[in-house]
Amino acid sequence: MRENLVRRRLAAGEVVVNGWLSIGSSYSAEGIGHSGAHSVTVDLQHGMMGFQEALHMLQALSATPAVPLVRVPDLDPAKIMHLLDAGAYGIICPMISTPEEAATFVAACRYPPHGNRSFGPSRGLLYGGKEYVAMANETVMAIPMIETAEAVKRIDEILAVDGIDMLYVGPNDLAFSIDGHVGFPRPKSEAAITRVLEAAGRRNVPVGIFCSDAEDARARHEQGCALVTPGNDFGHLTRSMAGAVGVVLGKGASAVPAAKAAHGY
């Protein structure tokens, strides 16, 4: 079966740089997949796309070195199974706040006897290879998002759920939930992120996080995050264009026309 290189890097203690796609384009997906990112996430929660576009993007990523991940819109086992069948090698699920939700999520990602994923591997078999069904449970990653005050409060219970491969922190929803806003400073949610990192470290579970840009990603890695997402495709596109406009007009790199938090999913 095709190896999940994210698992290999995490096991070796190496940082994983994760691309993030919010624009429904197989062409962009292919380009980001060749950018050097170790994994690329197709975002079906806040991204401007549906299943058919996501399928084409997963097909495009198949021709690149990057591991294809998907963020699903919500905790819907049928959608999760469908996207795994489409070839996702990992599922990021938003708003997991309780151990019961975490257990439901993990079960949807695993074939029996370790879960209740329905048989029908479709593209998973094409992408993963002929041993896909036998090895999917140990290859596909179940990644719950921690982004509510309740999730932080119950983090040890969530981590006790068997089969969680990594946590993924949503810093802005966490700030909304704990600080009441997404502006800076936001000391309460930052303290909560530290708590999540410490709890996950005790169980040797890696933590990923969405970041506003490359500098934020480097800082989060130094903080202890094993997987970092240095912004999404739309943010990189608009920042690059704004900078180019500023240079042409002799004004230097112009300010990004949206707050950092706007792209901090």
Side-chain angles (χ1 to χ4, degrees):
M1 181 170 174
R2 188 186 303 218
E3 184 183 10
N4 188 330
L5 298 178
V6 170
R7 283 189 176 277
R8 183 207 291 178
R9 291 189 67 86
L10 292 174
E14 299 173 331
V15 64
V16 175
V17 181
N18 176 57
W20 196 273
L21 301 174
S22 65
I23 300 170
S25 167
S26 59
Y27 183 35
S28 293
E30 187 174 19
I32 298 299
H34 283 297
S35 70
H38 305 111
S39 60
V40 176
T41 298
V42 178
D43 182 13
L44 280 166
Q45 184 188 21
H46 291 298
M48 299 294 104
M49 69 193 75
F51 175 81
Q52 198 63 36
E53 291 163 302
L55 171 61
H56 295 159
M57 294 161 77
L58 290 170
Q59 289 172 317
L61 286 169
S62 295
T64 79
V67 175
L69 309 177
V70 171
R71 178 166 69 172
V72 293
D74 53 18
L75 179 55
D76 183 330
K79 291 177 185 174
I80 290 167
M81 294 179 202
H82 198 193
L83 286 157
L84 289 173
D85 291 344
Y89 252 35
I91 298 291
I92 300 172
C93 187
M95 296 293 178
I96 297 297
S97 297
T98 69
E100 292 79 15
E101 290 171 346
T104 297
F105 169 51
V106 171
C109 295
R110 305 285 187 249
Y111 286 125
H114 303 295
N116 53 30
R117 180 182 172 187
S118 177
F119 180 82
S122 307
R123 265 209 81 246
L125 193 64
L126 293 176
Y127 177 75
K130 63 182 181 180
E131 297 177 332
Y132 179 84
V133 175
M135 298 184 65
N137 283 354
E138 60 194 73
T139 303
V140 167
M141 299 183 71
I143 308 168
M145 287 195 76
I146 303 300
E147 47 189 349
T148 67
E150 183 178 8
V152 175
K153 181 180 179 180
R154 304 187 70 180
I155 192 63
D156 289 310
E157 296 174 75
I158 291 171
L159 284 164
V161 174
D162 188 40
I164 290 175
D165 297 299
M166 181 169 65
L167 301 178
Y168 193 89
V169 174
N172 284 312
D173 275 318
L174 195 59
F176 255 142
S177 180
I178 297 178
D179 291 296
H181 58 81
V182 295
F184 297 90
R186 42 196 194 188
K188 294 179 182 178
S189 59
E190 285 299 320
I193 291 172
T194 298
R195 178 178 174 183
V196 170
L197 283 165
E198 291 173 348
R202 288 192 293 270
R203 288 186 174 268
N204 200 31
V205 174
V207 176
I209 192 167
F210 195 96
C211 309
S212 56
D213 55 29
E215 290 300 322
D216 186 29
R218 181 159 58 182
R220 290 298 192 186
H221 174 53
E222 291 172 355
Q223 185 183 12
C225 294
L227 178 148
V228 291
T229 303
N232 68 11
D233 51 355
F234 183 78
H236 287 292
L237 180 67
T238 53
R239 279 195 293 267
S240 178
M241 189 63 199
V245 170
V247 170
V248 172
L249 297 180
K251 298 178 181 179
S254 60
V256 180
K260 276 187 175 184
H263 304 304
Y265 298 148

